[in-house]
Amino acid sequence: MYQPITRLFSKQTLSMKHSFIREILKMTKGVAGMISFAGGLPSPDSFPKKQLARLFSEVVMEDGEDVLQYGASEGDKALKQAILKIETISALDEEQILITVGSTNGIYFFTRCFIDPGDIVISEAPGFPGSLAAMEACGARFVGVEMDEYGMLPERLKQTLKALFDKKQRVKFIYVIPEFQNPSGKTMNLKRRREIIEIAQQYDVPILEDQPYRELRYDGEKIPTLWELARTELKDPGRVTICKSFSKILGPGLRLGYTMGPPEVIMPMVMWAQKITVSPDCATQRVAARFIDRGYFAEQISTIINLYRPRRDAMIEALKANMPAGITWTMPEGGMFIWVTMDDKINTDRLLERAIESKVAFIPGSKFYSEGVSKRNELRLNFSYCDVDSIHEGIRRLAQLI
Ligand SMILES: Cc1ncc(COP(=O)(O)O)c(C=O)c1O
């Protein structure tokens, strides 16, 4: 008698849910006239196609014997050397860098090193479901800490840690996105960064810093990363591990990122890489190395900034011009997202159904909180993907619905 093969699936596979964000992207993709602020997608206009095409051809022709072969699990030496040119912090060396298949892969390996099923990760609320899903795959449970305009609230973090430690819960690390956070667009100021590290020191838990947008700053001063602060000012080099990505600079399809952290953390991450990815794509790594070595990197970043800054400004302008009183939004200094807060009476999950009929899409805020949190009056808007005219029209449609 035929029995479905799914009966043999693991409990974890059987309990997996589809990503709501991916579902919205599927629903809105290719729909004529749809203006979507839903995805977290870079603009295809930002991809350096000509330079990459030339470099891929060059790398395969010149280094084919090497890059079409199996590569090192820790990543390509040439790319690590190139990264050391852009990450100019003293005492950083190759042993402290792991090249990953996008930053999600680094987040996954880091989590693999720390989490046994049921262990706890403290994250910002709202938080980025993509990274949390990678952690969930390792069996992590999450405790969210509320934010103000400067990120995770230190007092709340302390209370949360104290309560969890009092109950002898296994808290393994604190996960933060300090710059142009996804979804809120908020940036942690310097004082807050120091406070968060000091609290982590007090409770002796590590921090995982996720920094995929750091280079995309449109105004304001650059602030040292938590990773830099811990290594320099706070003399605690093992406290913070940082994940970075080429996704928002060269293109997410390349699937390339890197993690920098203390050798005692990077080493077991490499061992996970040996088992799971074997190595990142070798040709792509060499292309990225040449992209940096040829001096294209800084030029590429300024091209993206010049593309996205007017889009962010257009969205803020359109929100100001169209939204009814009582609705507020964040003013991101960089990145790709604006977070909008409505009157408590507006349920953005329901608003989305009407918005899709009017051909405009966003992600309801509820998708960025753990299950059970009942906040329903917020939403995330992406401003990097649509052009300025579509941004004006899309916000006008959304405001009309509200
Ligand atoms: C905060 C955050 N972390 C990680 C990622 C994943 O980036 P990657 O493409 O490098 O895996 C994203 C992508 O949107 C993100 O917003």
Side-chain angles (χ1 to χ4, degrees), residues 29 32 161 170 211 228 259 292 372:
K29 199 173 173 184
L161 281 165
R170 289 162 59 92
Q211 278 281 17
E228 287 169 77
T259 301
I292 296 169

Side-chain angles (χ1 to χ4, degrees), residues 42-283:
S43 166
D45 299 338
S46 72
F47 302 150
K49 288 188 290 194
K50 281 196 191 127
Q51 287 156 323
L52 290 178
R54 225 179 314 115
L55 290 175
F56 267 108
S57 160
E58 197 184 292
V59 159
V60 172
M61 293 312 288
E62 291 173 14
D63 292 355
E65 287 76 3
D66 190 17
V67 300
L68 298 177
Q69 192 53 272
Y70 285 113
S73 299
E74 62 270 29
D76 186 34
K77 195 173 170 57
L79 180 55
K80 287 193 179 193
Q81 286 298 324
I83 287 170
L84 289 171
K85 289 182 196 152
I86 48 177
E87 300 288 352
T88 49
I89 183 161
S90 66
L92 178 64
D93 59 34
E94 286 177 30
E95 303 296 302
Q96 299 168 60
I97 305 175
L98 167 68
I99 312 293
T100 56
V101 182
S103 58
T104 310
N105 180 224
I107 291 165
Y108 176 76
F109 289 153
F110 180 89
T111 311
R112 265 271 167 234
C113 291
F114 284 90
I115 293 286
D116 288 311
D119 289 351
I120 291 174
V121 174
I122 304 230
S123 75
E124 293 147 335
F128 174 55
S131 305
L132 300 186
M135 295 176 197
E136 205 175 11
C138 304
R141 285 188 297 139
F142 304 102
V143 175
V145 173
E146 221 181 294
M147 304 163 76
D148 65 5
E149 60 172 310
Y150 300 118
M152 202 179 251
L153 285 160
E155 274 313 309
R156 291 285 162 84
L157 175 60
K158 265 196 235 171
Q159 286 161 3
T160 304
L161 281 165
K162 179 166 185 326
L164 290 167
F165 272 77
D166 285 350
K167 283 194 260 168
K168 306 234 175 325
Q169 298 274 331
R170 289 162 59 92
V171 179
K172 288 302 184 70
F173 61 89
I174 301 169
Y175 168 66
V176 287
I177 310 166
E179 241 140 294
F180 328 128
Q181 195 236 15
N182 184 1
S184 70
K186 292 172 183 175
T187 292
M188 214 186 257
N189 64 9
L190 183 58
K191 178 169 176 284
R192 184 66 56 86
R193 291 177 196 220
R194 288 189 181 119
E195 284 169 334
I196 300 291
I197 302 172
E198 278 158 13
I199 296 169
Q201 287 176 321
Q202 215 176 312
Y203 283 87
D204 199 17
V205 285
I207 296 175
L208 179 61
E209 176 174 17
D210 188 9
Q211 278 281 17
Y213 304 105
R214 179 161 172 83
E215 282 70 24
L216 310 186
R217 176 175 276 284
Y218 317 133
D219 36 49
E221 290 291 313
K222 213 170 177 183
I223 309 169
T225 60
L226 279 80
W227 175 71
E228 287 169 77
L229 286 171
R231 287 174 62 101
T232 54
E233 195 181 294
L234 297 165
K235 309 264 180 294
D236 189 6
R239 181 69 49 197
V240 183
T241 297
I242 184 170
C243 290
K244 298 197 69 178
S245 177
F246 290 105
S247 285
K248 308 299 177 330
I249 299 169
L250 300 181
L254 296 180
R255 305 309 304 131
L256 199 58
Y258 54 101
T259 301
M260 297 181 290
E264 65 271 23
V265 171
I266 296 296
M267 214 192 327
M269 286 179 73
V270 172
M271 288 159 76
W272 278 112
Q274 285 165 357
K275 295 179 204 306
I276 293 171
T277 45
V278 181
S279 89
D281 179 309
C282 301

